Amino acid sequence: MAAAAAAAAGGRGRRLPPHSPSGPVLQTVEMHTGGEPLRIIPRLEAAEEAAAAGGLSLLSLRREVAAAQDHVRRALVHEPRGHAGMYGAVVVAHGTAAAGAHLAALFLHGAGYSAMCGHAVLALGRFALDYGLVAAPSSPETAVRLRCPCGPVTAFVPWDGHRSGNPVRFHSVPAFAAATDLAVDVPGHGKVVVDIGYGGTFYAFLSAEQLGLDVCSSKTRDLVSAASAVTEAVKKQFKLHHPESEDLAFLYGTILTDGKDAFSEEPTTNICVFADEQVDRSPTGSGVTARIALQYHKGLIQLNQTRTFRSSTTGSLFTGKAVKEAKFGDYNAVIVEVSGEAFYTGTATFTVEEEDPLKYGFFFK
């Protein structure tokens, strides 16, 4: 009896479950913004070492991590530790990749790595203050400089002297209209007309009505299938160009809207389907950025006119407005301010057992 009690007590005192001594022990901070999850990896040793040793830019580090550390993404984003809608961010605090910023971030999703993520920037702004990445936060608001693969962005985070708060807002990289009123032949749907906007990454935009759907009431499965068909059609029929890097010249996804592009005080609703049919639970920060850029380009809104964007999946809200004009290569662009609320949901420690055949996850749609 005494031996059994001692063994039980020892089990209760165990800090970690049995795991591979050579395998990763991954500690995370869990957040969500408008319902879209963010699994933050505050430090990934291999990424920090590569950033420090190689003097790598963030885009180069993104390639390096994808080539050598992709098992970390799969372990944390895919099942059984994650799910089909999971999203993550690796924080990089040192080296050329984070030069001039409080932190840099690599964005992880089910199919790979993104160039920009607005919901993550909003959450990481809070994280940077609460976890000491900004040496001396100021009240009532602190500017947090982040470096994303698409470029530098600044988050503005409420600070009461002890903890961060909401709402958080950020100023985007230059956002622009890449194409407007582009006719695309979508198998199963015929010809549709799309706009393509850039808000740190490229999206195709069209009203769900063009596809015989309603963004507010149609089944999510139908919206996802239609949006994915549009994405594939645009990729085949239109070549994207990015002013600074061909690494960024890819279509990230399609955003179906309610068609309410003209300025209104009422919210406009959308659903973003990105990467490999992944659905954003939030209104999509980089999507709001791109959509504001398109509306400004078309003369539908003016500088500092605030629009509200609603997620069709959760009903959560972001606001967006164009705050100033800019030039980006040959494009007339705008800097967009996006605002939303990010919340902590917990922390986690993940381990692997070497003999587990699914130790680095599996992808199930």
Side-chain angles (χ1 to χ4, degrees):
M1 290 289 289
R12 287 197 298 272
R14 184 190 291 274
R15 192 177 72 85
L16 291 174
H19 63 283
S20 169
S22 60
V25 175
L26 299 165
Q27 296 180 321
T28 67
V29 175
E30 308 287 311
M31 299 186 73
H32 82 90
T33 309
E36 179 71 355
L38 186 67
R39 176 161 286 167
I40 300 170
I41 304 98
R43 179 177 174 83
L44 182 61
E45 194 74 33
E48 291 286 358
E49 289 175 357
L56 299 178
S57 69
L58 191 58
L59 270 178
S60 297
L61 182 62
R62 179 171 167 257
R63 287 193 294 268
E64 174 73 16
V65 168
Q69 299 295 321
D70 194 55
H71 60 282
V72 173
R73 177 190 65 83
R74 289 181 280 114
L76 290 179
V77 174
H78 291 176
E79 295 186 57
R81 299 173 189 87
H83 53 79
M86 180 54 76
Y87 205 96
V90 175
V91 172
V92 180
H94 303 97
T96 303
H102 293 108
L103 72 154
L106 298 173
F107 303 123
L108 321 176
H109 55 73
Y113 302 80
S114 176
M116 174 59 187
C117 179
H119 95 273
V121 166
L122 295 170
L124 287 167
R126 291 198 64 192
F127 170 85
L129 297 192
D130 295 320
Y131 282 79
L133 295 178
V134 179
S138 56
S139 298
E141 184 179 72
T142 297
V144 180
R145 300 186 305 276
L146 299 97
R147 185 164 288 279
C148 304
C150 65
V153 300
T154 302
F156 300 91
V157 187
W159 178 253
D160 68 4
H162 304 283
R163 57 169 286 187
S164 68
N166 281 303
V168 181
R169 57 195 177 94
F170 73 82
H171 285 181
S172 71
V173 295
F176 58 86
T180 57
D181 301 322
L182 179 70
V184 177
D185 189 11
V186 180
H189 297 278
K191 283 201 178 295
V192 299
V193 177
V194 306
D195 296 332
I196 300 177
Y198 177 80
T201 191
F202 290 95
Y203 295 98
F205 293 84
L206 72 162
S207 67
E209 185 181 17
Q210 287 196 63
L211 302 163
L213 299 169
D214 186 308
V215 75
C216 296
S217 62
S218 292
K219 291 181 179 178
T220 300
R221 178 70 260 170
D222 295 337
L223 292 167
V224 170
S225 295
S228 298
V230 172
T231 297
E232 292 308 308
V234 173
K235 284 180 178 178
K236 292 175 182 176
Q237 297 171 45
F238 184 78
K239 181 172 175 55
L240 291 167
H241 169 69
H242 188 276
E244 292 184 346
S245 173
E246 287 306 300
D247 275 1
L248 300 174
F250 65 93
L251 189 69
Y252 191 34
T254 291
I255 296 180
L256 302 181
T257 78
D258 57 9
K260 298 175 181 177
D261 289 327
F263 177 75
S264 169
E265 299 287 350
E266 295 298 313
T268 175
T269 302
N270 58 233
I271 183 172
C272 173
V273 182
F274 65 96
D276 187 4
E277 297 192 343
Q278 196 161 330
V279 178
D280 196 335
R281 275 70 168 159
S282 80
T284 310
S286 54
V288 166
T289 303
R291 198 170 169 202
I292 287 284
L294 284 164
Q295 291 173 1
Y296 186 80
H297 175 81
K298 291 184 169 188
L300 298 173
I301 57 169
Q302 300 175 358
L303 288 179
N304 293 308
Q305 279 192 314
T306 299
R307 293 217 65 188
T308 301
F309 297 82
R310 178 191 287 122
S311 164
S312 75
T313 57
T314 62
S316 60
L317 303 174
F318 286 174
T319 62
K321 62 182 177 181
V323 293
K324 69 176 180 178
E325 295 181 336
K327 284 290 288 186
F328 195 39
D330 294 332
Y331 292 103
N332 293 320
V334 286
I335 304 300
V336 177
E337 179 179 292
V338 177
S339 178
E341 293 187 324
F343 297 93
Y344 292 100
T345 59
T347 59
T349 301
F350 295 100
T351 59
V352 301
E353 292 189 282
E354 193 58 42
E355 63 271 27
D356 179 2
L358 300 175
K359 60 181 173 289
Y360 294 129
F362 61 93
F363 190 48
F364 181 74
K365 289 196 294 183

